[in-house]
Amino acid sequence: MEKKFLVIGLTGGIGSGKSEVAKYLLEQGYPVISSDENAKKIMAEDKSLQQDIKKTFGDEAYLEDGTLNKEFLAKKVFGRDKTSEDNLEKLNQLVHPRTIELMVNTVDNYRKEGKEIVFVESALIFEIGIDDGFDYVIAVDAKEDIKIKRVMERSSISEEEIKYRMSRQLSSEEKLKSADFSIENNGSIAQLRSTVDFLMDIVKELPPKEFE
């Protein structure tokens, strides 16, 4: 009999605490694949992708030492105009297929190692339509004012800019409606971890999804 193997998506908008949940799951010994870290790795190491990004956005997309020019790209994709929206779409079209491929390969390696549950942390699970590839999806959310406060405390982004970036993401309501489970993260880290422990007691007993 084949050993049970679950692949669970972990998603949430900016400031929701999704990464805090991922951090705690790692501490508990669960493999967690970060789509954001995978994207950074690919953009730093994949030479063909680097060439594609340069062709699309110009040679300034990478510094002389070969590292990604984050400030330059941020200006290209996070502006408040149609051009920026189009640029973000172009960048996603270049990066996402490679990120998904790396994710699938990493998940397969964990399966071969005999892991029972693997998490994939990604803010864009529903946006890019990969939710059907998971056994279950967990969405992390919080009240808007709490999310804004968290982001402002950890970065130099203004409240106005945070709200604008939120407006470009799938709404919390849509994420929660589409997810199998949700975590409301309006309290302390201790409360969040307690909620994750409770949820994991349920998740560990769940059967794998029957994919068609």
Side-chain angles (χ1 to χ4, degrees):
M1 181 176 170
E2 189 174 345
K3 190 175 182 180
K4 185 175 86 167
F5 181 65
L6 295 176
V7 184
I8 299 176
L10 178 64
T11 193
I14 184 172
S16 65
K18 162 181 59 68
S19 296
E20 193 63 45
V21 173
K23 177 184 173 184
Y24 182 56
L25 290 169
L26 274 170
E27 291 175 6
Q28 299 304 301
Y30 295 102
V32 179
I33 301 166
S34 168
S35 293
D36 190 44
E37 290 303 314
N38 277 354
K40 290 176 182 176
K41 176 182 172 66
I42 291 168
M43 286 192 283
E45 299 177 3
D46 188 320
K47 298 301 181 185
S48 66
L49 175 59
Q50 290 179 9
Q51 289 303 314
D52 288 341
I53 290 175
K54 286 180 180 179
K55 285 178 186 176
T56 305
F57 300 104
D59 289 340
E60 288 180 79
Y62 283 86
L63 302 172
E64 288 184 12
D65 63 0
T67 58
L68 186 69
N69 190 340
K70 296 177 184 177
E71 187 176 336
F72 173 80
L73 267 184
K75 288 178 180 177
K76 287 284 188 180
V77 303
F78 289 127
R80 302 193 179 194
D81 52 40
K82 184 65 168 63
T83 300
S84 295
E85 291 181 16
D86 291 343
N87 283 341
L88 180 59
E89 180 64 26
K90 289 174 184 176
L91 182 63
N92 287 341
Q93 287 176 356
L94 293 174
V95 177
H96 284 163
R98 293 167 167 96
T99 305
I100 292 169
E101 182 181 9
L102 178 56
M103 177 196 75
V104 170
N105 291 339
T106 308
V107 165
D108 194 46
N109 288 337
Y110 280 128
R111 181 185 60 78
K112 291 173 182 175
E113 288 175 13
K115 302 294 185 184
E116 294 185 5
I117 302 176
V118 175
F119 289 88
V120 175
E121 178 197 358
S122 173
L124 303 175
I125 285 174
F126 297 115
E127 287 88 336
I128 60 177
I130 60 172
D131 48 299
D132 286 342
F134 298 102
D135 293 286
Y136 303 96
V137 176
I138 300 170
V140 185
D141 193 34
K143 294 177 181 176
E144 183 172 303
D145 61 325
I146 293 176
K147 290 189 283 190
I148 292 170
K149 184 172 182 287
R150 286 176 183 151
V151 179
M152 290 182 72
E153 285 175 350
R154 73 183 186 217
S155 69
S156 59
I157 307 174
S158 69
E159 180 176 347
E160 186 182 12
E161 180 62 25
I162 294 166
K163 287 182 177 179
Y164 176 69
R165 293 191 185 187
M166 284 179 168
S167 73
R168 291 178 64 177
Q169 295 183 330
L170 189 69
S171 71
S172 294
E173 291 75 19
E174 288 296 322
K175 277 185 165 69
L176 294 173
K177 185 173 70 175
S178 301
D180 298 289
F181 300 96
S182 63
I183 294 174
E184 285 294 325
N185 178 30
N186 295 314
S188 66
I189 290 178
Q191 290 172 318
L192 176 63
R193 292 184 170 200
S194 178
T195 302
V196 174
D197 288 338
F198 175 80
L199 182 56
M200 285 309 301
D201 285 339
I202 297 171
V203 169
K204 285 184 285 190
E205 301 303 318
L206 293 172
K209 179 179 177 181
E210 292 187 8
F211 293 96
E212 294 180 358

